[in-house]
Amino acid sequence: MTSFYSVNNQTMIDLCLQAYGTTDLLVKFCNDNNIHSINYIPPVPQLFVYDESLVTDQKVNSYVFVTANTVMSSGDHYFSPESGSGYFGSENGGSFFVTE
C-alpha cells in the first residue's frame, strides 16, 4: 500500500481520483481508509492509503494539476498549472500555449 496526505477541501471522490485515477474504486478506497461515508471531508492533513497495483492513471506521480483560471490580456480565459509554467489550455478547448 502507498500513502499520501489530503489537502484543504478535498472530497472522497477527489482523493480516490488522486489515488487511482478513477472513481470505480471509491468503495474500496473508503473501506481501506476506514471511511464510512463518501460525503466525508477529511481534516488537513489526513493520511490515506491505496493499492498502487490498481492505479489506472500512471501520470499521477508527475502530473501537473490545474489550479487556476487565468484571464489573458486578450480577454481569453486559460487554465493555469499549479507550477506556474508549462502548458495552458483555453477554456473552450481551442488553443494551448507554453510558458517557461
Side-chain angles (χ1 to χ4, degrees):
M1 296 289 258
T2 302
S3 62
F4 66 97
Y5 286 95
S6 62
V7 296
N8 197 27
N9 292 323
Q10 282 186 299
T11 65
M12 293 310 296
I13 292 172
D14 295 335
L15 293 162
C16 183
L17 283 171
Q18 181 178 342
Y20 290 115
T22 181
T23 56
D24 294 347
L25 296 166
L26 182 58
V27 172
K28 176 181 176 26
F29 183 75
C30 288
N31 286 335
D32 288 349
N33 289 284
N34 201 27
I35 304 297
H36 302 289
S37 170
I38 63 168
N39 296 320
Y40 175 74
I41 305 292
V44 176
Q46 181 173 338
L47 184 67
F48 287 90
V49 297
Y50 66 99
D51 183 350
E52 66 277 358
S53 69
L54 299 175
V55 173
T56 59
D57 182 1
Q58 296 301 320
K59 294 189 288 185
V60 170
N61 291 333
S62 61
Y63 190 75
V64 177
F65 293 94
V66 173
T67 59
N69 184 352
T70 303
V71 180
M72 304 305 291
S73 58
S74 64
D76 293 332
H77 291 257
Y78 287 88
F79 296 109
S80 306
E82 130 185 294
S83 65
S85 65
Y87 292 95
F88 287 66
S90 70
E91 187 173 46
N92 64 12
S95 61
F96 291 90
F97 66 93
V98 180
T99 63
E100 303 273 341

